[in-house]
Amino acid sequence: MNKTFATLALVAALTSFTGPATLADDDPTSTAISAGGDATKGKRLFNRCKACHNLTASERSKLGPNLDNLFGRQAGSSEGFTRYSKALSEAGFVWTEEKLDAWLTSPKTFLPGNKMTFAGLRKEQDRKDLMAYLRDATTGAE
């Protein structure tokens, strides 16, 4: 096997497990997913979340952390929230739309060992709508 073919085979194998990396994967300012959403519908979807989460730091944390300044924040680092699971505290990533999309699809699959009991949103459009709302509601645009 020549080196070029071996390198291509390795790249193909790695991307089949982790997916192709793009600049947007690491860019918390990217709105690639939320741009396709409807914030009004997302606000209704957030009703499922608000029993455990607030949107601003001025509100007291509930069962889950406040979601203020979510995009670009290190996972497991909401100021004043102390009940993170070990898995989330040690996750080592920053919340981007791509990370949140994977999380919202299935939190238990995305990060095994986390404490979130929410099963996830199966419909891609629901996740886009919710992210559009979160973009507005957590950045002061609303």
Side-chain angles (χ1 to χ4, degrees):
M1 182 182 294
N2 70 37
K3 286 185 180 181
T4 303
F5 182 75
T7 302
L8 290 174
L10 178 60
V11 169
L14 290 174
T15 57
S16 70
F17 291 112
T18 61
T22 65
L23 182 59
D25 288 340
D26 297 327
D27 183 2
T29 64
S30 171
T31 58
I33 296 173
S34 64
D38 179 333
T40 302
K41 290 179 181 176
K43 186 174 184 176
R44 284 192 301 271
L45 286 165
F46 186 74
N47 285 330
R48 300 179 191 180
C49 312
K50 69 181 184 180
C52 298
H53 297 281
N54 287 319
L55 295 172
T56 65
S58 63
E59 296 176 282
R60 186 176 60 87
S61 290
K62 294 182 178 183
L63 184 59
N66 290 342
L67 301 180
D68 61 301
N69 297 311
L70 174 65
F71 298 101
R73 186 172 76 201
Q74 180 72 27
S77 70
S78 180
E79 190 173 324
F81 188 78
T82 59
R83 295 183 305 269
Y84 283 109
S85 64
K86 184 176 180 179
L88 201 48
S89 294
E90 297 176 356
F93 65 83
V94 169
W95 287 111
T96 62
E97 287 195 356
E98 289 74 17
K99 294 286 190 209
L100 188 58
D101 185 52
W103 173 269
L104 290 172
T105 300
S106 176
K108 294 293 182 197
T109 302
F110 175 74
L111 188 64
N114 78 76
K115 294 179 183 178
M116 191 157 155
T117 59
F118 181 65
L121 294 171
R122 291 184 183 170
K123 295 179 182 175
E124 180 181 10
Q125 190 59 51
D126 285 349
R127 296 190 306 274
K128 288 179 180 182
D129 294 343
L130 181 57
M131 275 191 266
Y133 174 66
L134 289 174
R135 276 283 182 198
D136 288 350
T138 64
T139 60
E142 187 173 82

